[in-house]
């Protein structure tokens, strides 16, 4: 092991001499660098070396290189003709070497591969850009060979070929091979589709600049293949015949030609026109929906990609036709088709009004064909959205408001077949909301919307009798109810009783709702802290009119907090609820007295004795108070409570660090 470490250190001699000669680092600094690198090298020779060990070494080298760059820039700012020397790229090469050693140890770590690629792309460790491009190609080939099912690597490699090497053919080939291995991957199909459209767009732009009408297909397929990522054959690849694509393209062109006029057929006969019209992109789309047939959102992504390119009407229409044919009974798909034409209309265009009217007409046709609650929800959501965005256009806003009013009447006519939670939320009609809360009693959003529009008497009645029993897990309902109680002017003892009732009801919920329980407990003590000084709380679980306080909650808060009410609230939570760690943290943050804080710390540690955080907070408090004997006793108790030796060792290290800081 020592011989290997010594070998790596000897490779640094030339770099260190260059750094000293250029006066970028002093001798003591270079000695410190050598010492640190020696430590890292020995660390990498252990039997078990984690990814973090390599990354720490890499981070250190990156920081050293950043310091070298800064000093070099300061010393050579006036010398623009300064030449690159060994130290300018040796650190980058060392980082690459560390990455490669790390990947030899952890070849299955995709995150490490991605970090390696990101470093090579963002650095200039190579002596020239071409070498960096070649290095990236080799890295991509190695990464894909190890992880052929990682779509991200294939997509990044194709992007590298297209952007760095300007080789569209190589990018296409990579994505084709990726799809043979991962035929069900949505991202790969989308990127392959986007690539074909992008290549066509580039050819169109080039032809417009040159003013030529030459062949197009040959311009793409005849690109240079220099710099192609040399990826060996993968075991995961299935046998594939390239003639399938050509046959499919010929079949598509024949079908199109049979349906066109004589002039259109003559134009289509010109070589390359089918390609420029998006024939290959259509073939890719058809293969994609054959591989992933029953996902309309997948097809929506294709439509979104097509919308970003010019002169793609045929491709876009093919995508929309497939959605209409295969998802006629899907409300979201039908809604998307109703507004698809709006993507081509600018918000400032004079054609916007006509386009919106067409969308409304499309929705009318869809509702006549597909009269379901889901379709009505899509229609109402569309109307509400455009009513809100048309704030500057009063006539347009009034138009959509009238349509919403008409929609509410239409839904009310046939509630059983048209009313849904989404429809009621968007229409915000009082009768429909009341009907919807009866039909969907567990909906937090429906109850909140109905209660915000209700009178004070109705809020209390609806919350206590209907909303909260039906949806005790809804934090929004509890927040609305307690906010109403706090500002209603009722005495503090009565509000306290409502909080205790909330604790009793939520205590029956499962551990999934622990955040709600903590929220209610913290809200209670915050409310008590802000009460007027004359207000008092009682240790009662139910409101007693004989002990009713005369100070209303709506009174203005005093300048000083009500510490006595706060402490009584803490005691109420401890006696009538199951206190949470968050509750104790909040109490400890508010409690001003050290004696009471000690008591709170004791209770906090008992909630979950295997959790080291309350113990450490308790020890921190005792050390700050210079009560070291008590801290030692608490540390001994905590060590006994922790379940494993590893936990005890980690806890001991944290405690010793806490003592050193003091």
């Amino acid at each position: 092991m020592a011989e290997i470490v010594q070998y790596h250190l000897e490779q640094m001699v030339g770099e260190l001499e260059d750094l000293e000669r250029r006066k970028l680092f002093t001798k003591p600094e270079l000695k410190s660098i050598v010492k640190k690198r020696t430590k890292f090298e020995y660390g990498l020779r252990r039997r078990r070396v984690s990814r973090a060990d390599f990354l720490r070494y890499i981070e250190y080298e990156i920081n050293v290189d950043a310091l070298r760059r800064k000093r070099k820039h300061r010393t050579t700012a006036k010398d623009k003709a300064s030449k690159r020397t060994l130290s300018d790229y040796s650190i980058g090469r060392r980082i690459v070497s560390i990455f490669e050693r790390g990947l030899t140890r952890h070849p299955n770590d995709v995150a490490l591969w991605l970090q390696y690629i990101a470093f090579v792309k963002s650095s200039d460790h190579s002596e020239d850009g071409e070498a960096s491009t070649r290095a990236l190609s080799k890295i991509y080939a190695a990464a894909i060979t190890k992880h052929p099912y990682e779509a991200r690597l294939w997509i990044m490699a194709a992007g590298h070929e297209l952007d760095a090497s300007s080789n569209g053919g190589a990018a296409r080939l990579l994505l084709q091979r990726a799809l043979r291995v991962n035929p069900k991957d949505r991202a790969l199909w989308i990127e392959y589709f986007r690539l074909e459209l992008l290549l066509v767009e580039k050819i169109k732009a080039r032809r417009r600049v040159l003013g030529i009408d030459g062949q197009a297909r040959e311009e793409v397929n005849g690109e240079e293949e220099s710099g192609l990522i040399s990826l060996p054959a993968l075991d995961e690849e299935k046998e594939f015949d390239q003639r399938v694509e050509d046959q499919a393209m010929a079949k598509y062109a024949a079908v199109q030609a049979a349906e066109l006029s004589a002039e259109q057929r003559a134009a289509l006969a010109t070589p390359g026109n089918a390609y420029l019209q998006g024939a290959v992109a259509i073939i890719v789309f058809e293969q994609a929906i054959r591989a992933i047939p029953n996902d309309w959102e997948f097809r929506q992504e294709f439509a979104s990609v097509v919308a970003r390119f010019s002169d793609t009407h045929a491709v876009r229409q093919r995508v929309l036709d497939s959605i209409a044919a295969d998802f006629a009974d899907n409300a979201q798909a039908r809604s998307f088709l109703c507004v698809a034409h709006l993507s081509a209309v600018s918000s400032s265009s004079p054609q916007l009004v006509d386009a919106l009217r067409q969308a409304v007409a499309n929705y009318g046709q869809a509702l006549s064909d597909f009269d379901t609650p889901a379709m009505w929800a899509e229609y109402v959501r569309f109307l509400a959205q455009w009513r809100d965005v048309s704030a500057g256009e009063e006539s347009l806003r009034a138009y959509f408001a009238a349509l919403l009013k008409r929609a509410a009447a239409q839904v009310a006519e046939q509630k059983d077949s048209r009313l849904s939670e989404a429809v009621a939320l968007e229409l915000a009609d009082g009768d429909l909301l009341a009907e919807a809360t009866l039909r969907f009693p567990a909906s937090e959003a429906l109850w909140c919307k109905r209660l915000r529009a209700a009178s004070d008497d109705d809020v209390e009645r609806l919350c206590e009798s209907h909303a909260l029993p039906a949806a005790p897990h809804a934090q929004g309902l509890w927040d609305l109810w307690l906010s109403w109680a706090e500002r209603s002017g009722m005495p503090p003892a009565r509000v306290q009783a409502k909080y205790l009732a909330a604790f009793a009801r939520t205590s029956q919920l499962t551990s999934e709702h622990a955040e709600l329980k903590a929220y209610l407990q913290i809200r209670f003590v915050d409310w008590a802290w802000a009460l007027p000084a004359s207000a008092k709380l009682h240790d009662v679980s139910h409101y007693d009119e004989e002990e009713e306080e005369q100070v209303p909650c709506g009174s203005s808060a005093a300048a000083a907090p009500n510490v006595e009410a706060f402490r009584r609230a803490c005691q109420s939570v401890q006696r009538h609820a199951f206190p949470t760690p968050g509750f104790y943290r909040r109490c400890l943050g508010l409690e001003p007295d050290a004696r009471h804080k000690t008591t709170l710390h004791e209770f906090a540690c008992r909630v979950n004795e295997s959790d080291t955080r309350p113990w450490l907070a308790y020890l921190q408090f005792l050390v700050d108070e210079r009560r070291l004997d008590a801290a030692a006793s608490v540390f001994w108790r905590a060590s006994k409570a922790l379940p494993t030796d590893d936990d005890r060792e980690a806890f001991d290290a944290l405690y010793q660090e806490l003592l050193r800081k003091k």
Side-chain angles (χ1 to χ4, degrees):
M1 181 173 70
E3 293 82 358
I4 297 175
V5 172
Q6 186 64 28
Y7 168 77
H8 286 294
L9 294 176
E10 289 175 356
Q11 303 304 308
M12 308 173 190
V13 174
E15 169 201 339
L16 298 174
E17 291 177 346
D18 186 53
L19 290 172
E20 183 180 10
R21 182 172 58 254
R22 299 176 68 179
K23 298 182 179 179
L24 297 178
F25 288 92
T26 63
K27 283 189 176 181
E29 288 175 331
L30 292 175
K31 288 183 179 179
S32 176
I33 291 173
V34 172
K35 183 178 179 181
K36 196 74 173 178
R37 287 176 175 173
T38 303
K39 181 179 178 181
F40 280 123
E41 290 292 342
Y42 274 107
L44 298 186
R45 301 307 303 173
R46 297 196 304 266
R47 287 187 177 182
R48 294 183 179 180
V49 186
S50 66
R51 179 174 66 121
D53 295 323
F54 289 98
L55 292 179
R56 278 193 291 267
Y57 193 179
I58 290 168
E59 182 183 14
Y60 174 75
E61 292 294 341
I62 290 175
N63 292 335
V64 171
D65 194 43
L67 180 59
R68 179 197 63 80
R69 290 170 184 269
K70 187 177 295 186
R71 291 182 177 180
K72 177 188 174 184
H73 178 74
R74 185 169 60 244
T75 57
T76 62
K78 298 180 180 179
D79 186 8
K80 296 183 179 180
S82 177
K83 296 182 179 180
R84 289 169 61 92
T85 59
L86 177 63
S87 60
D88 289 325
Y89 48 83
S90 59
I91 297 179
R93 288 181 173 178
R94 179 174 299 103
I95 295 173
V96 169
S97 174
I98 298 170
F99 266 118
E100 291 177 348
R101 290 155 64 187
L103 289 168
T104 301
R105 283 289 192 100
H106 305 281
N108 297 324
D109 194 328
V110 178
L112 190 57
W113 280 106
L114 293 175
Q115 287 175 295
Y116 185 20
I117 292 169
F119 170 75
V120 176
K121 289 173 67 175
S122 64
S123 65
D124 59 348
H125 63 277
S126 299
E127 298 176 69
D128 57 77
E130 185 177 351
S132 179
T133 301
R134 289 196 300 268
L136 268 176
S137 297
K138 293 180 180 179
I139 295 170
Y140 280 122
I144 291 172
T145 303
K146 291 291 185 182
H147 302 280
Y149 296 112
E150 280 291 332
R152 290 177 295 174
L153 294 174
W154 289 100
I155 293 171
M156 292 171 66
H160 169 71
E161 288 296 340
L162 185 63
D163 299 332
S165 304
S166 300
N167 195 337
R172 178 190 290 117
L173 180 60
L174 279 170
L175 290 178
Q176 287 174 348
R177 297 186 67 179
L179 286 168
R180 296 171 211 166
V181 178
N182 307 281
K184 301 292 185 181
D185 193 283
R186 293 174 44 159
L188 284 173
W189 283 112
I190 294 294
E191 291 303 322
Y192 187 18
F193 182 71
R194 181 185 285 110
L195 173 66
E196 293 296 347
L197 291 175
L198 182 60
L199 293 176
V200 171
E201 190 77 13
K202 285 186 174 183
I203 291 175
K204 290 178 181 178
R206 185 164 53 190
R207 286 157 65 89
R208 284 194 297 267
V209 171
L210 298 177
I212 60 174
D213 295 320
Q215 308 293 336
R217 178 69 185 222
E218 289 76 3
E219 293 186 36
V220 178
N221 291 340
E223 293 185 14
E224 296 181 1
E225 295 187 358
S226 60
L228 174 66
I229 293 178
S230 179
L231 185 64
L234 301 174
D235 295 336
E236 293 82 354
E237 287 188 276
K238 299 176 181 179
E239 294 183 1
F240 181 78
D241 187 0
Q242 186 63 37
R243 292 176 297 176
V244 172
E245 178 181 345
D246 297 332
Q247 291 172 358
M249 182 175 176
K251 180 180 178 181
Y252 170 78
V255 172
Q256 290 292 94
E259 299 176 354
L260 298 176
S261 64
E263 293 80 4
Q264 291 172 324
R265 285 199 299 270
L268 191 61
T270 304
N273 274 2
Y275 180 76
L276 290 179
Q277 292 172 0
V280 175
I282 291 176
I283 293 171
V284 172
F285 171 72
E286 291 177 344
Q287 295 295 328
I289 63 176
R290 190 173 302 154
I292 309 174
N294 299 318
D295 190 342
W296 94 265
E297 292 181 351
F298 180 48
R299 304 194 193 188
Q300 184 184 16
E301 291 184 53
F302 282 100
S304 301
V305 171
V306 173
R308 300 190 185 102
F309 294 90
S310 62
D311 193 22
T312 55
H313 176 75
V315 183
R316 179 174 175 275
Q317 193 58 44
R318 177 67 187 91
V319 175
L320 297 180
D321 289 345
S322 75
I323 295 176
D326 298 340
F327 300 96
D329 58 348
N330 186 303
Q332 289 182 316
R334 293 292 294 268
S335 177
F336 176 76
L337 293 174
C338 290
V339 300
H341 63 284
L342 292 177
S343 61
V345 183
S346 171
S347 59
S348 58
S349 172
Q351 288 80 29
L352 178 62
V353 175
D354 293 336
L356 289 173
R357 292 183 183 276
Q358 181 60 46
V360 173
N362 293 342
Y363 271 111
Q365 181 62 41
L367 287 169
S368 64
D369 299 339
F370 194 54
D371 191 357
T372 64
M375 194 68 237
W376 276 99
E378 294 293 332
Y379 175 49
V380 169
R381 191 176 294 116
F382 163 77
L383 296 178
Q385 175 187 356
W386 278 97
R387 178 201 59 190
D388 296 338
V389 301
S390 304
E393 297 287 341
E394 291 301 327
S395 59
L396 200 58
R397 182 179 176 83
Y399 170 68
F400 283 107
L403 289 176
L404 277 169
K405 188 174 181 180
R406 186 198 304 172
Q410 292 172 325
V411 171
E413 292 175 359
Q414 301 183 31
K415 295 179 182 178
D416 293 339
S417 61
R418 295 177 178 176
L419 182 61
S420 67
E421 180 180 350
V423 170
L425 285 173
E426 294 294 347
L427 292 176
D429 180 81
D431 294 337
L432 290 178
L433 281 173
E435 178 70 23
T437 51
L438 293 177
R439 189 176 299 184
F440 311 102
S443 172
E444 175 182 352
L446 281 175
W447 278 114
C448 287
K449 196 143 194 171
R450 183 181 177 184
L451 291 170
R452 290 192 183 100
S455 64
D456 287 348
D457 293 339
D458 287 340
V459 168
E460 184 173 17
R461 177 180 59 82
L462 290 173
C463 279
E464 295 183 353
S465 302
H466 301 285
L468 292 173
H473 59 278
Q475 180 174 322
L477 280 179
W478 288 110
D479 191 56
L480 190 148
W481 183 52
L482 294 172
S483 296
W484 167 83
E486 291 170 4
R487 67 172 183 270
S488 64
M490 64 177 61
R494 188 175 176 188
V495 179
Q496 178 189 11
K498 293 190 178 297
Y499 270 107
L500 297 181
F503 299 153
R505 192 180 294 275
T506 56
S507 64
Q508 303 173 8
L509 299 177
T510 63
S511 58
E512 297 178 359
H513 304 93
E515 292 184 3
L516 172 61
K517 300 176 184 178
Y519 169 77
L520 292 175
Q521 294 169 10
I522 293 171
R523 181 189 174 106
F524 181 38
V525 295
D526 285 344
W527 166 77
W529 179 266
L531 283 174
S534 56
K536 295 182 180 180
L537 300 182
H538 298 282
D539 185 18
V540 294
S541 57
H542 299 284
Y543 173 62
D544 188 352
E545 291 185 359
E546 295 181 358
E547 299 183 2
E548 180 176 312
E549 294 288 342
Q550 299 302 317
V551 180
C553 294
S555 302
S556 58
N562 193 332
V563 178
E564 186 61 33
F566 157 73
R567 289 172 181 165
R568 186 57 64 89
C570 292
Q571 294 172 2
S572 296
V573 172
Q574 291 173 321
R575 294 181 182 181
H576 302 290
F578 295 97
T580 62
F583 161 76
Y584 281 117
R585 284 194 296 269
R586 184 61 175 166
C587 292
L588 287 166
L590 295 176
E591 176 57 59
D593 183 71
R595 182 173 60 85
H596 285 88
K597 275 191 173 184
T598 302
T599 304
L600 288 171
H601 275 297
E602 288 287 346
F603 281 117
C605 291
R606 296 175 190 173
V607 175
N608 182 6
E609 293 188 340
S610 61
D611 186 357
T612 60
R613 290 173 295 180
W615 290 110
L616 287 171
Y618 193 7
L619 291 170
Q620 180 72 60
F621 165 73
L622 294 174
V623 171
D624 291 342
E625 293 287 318
R626 300 187 182 278
R627 296 164 58 187
L628 299 183
D629 291 341
S633 175
V634 170
F635 173 74
W636 181 83
R637 287 164 49 202
S639 299
K640 292 292 184 181
L642 296 178
T644 65
D645 292 338
D646 292 339
D647 292 336
R648 284 187 281 273
E649 290 179 7
F651 181 69
D652 179 69
L654 292 172
Y655 178 56
Q656 297 302 326
E657 182 180 356
L658 187 152
L659 292 176
R660 284 195 297 271
K661 290 181 179 179
K662 290 299 178 181

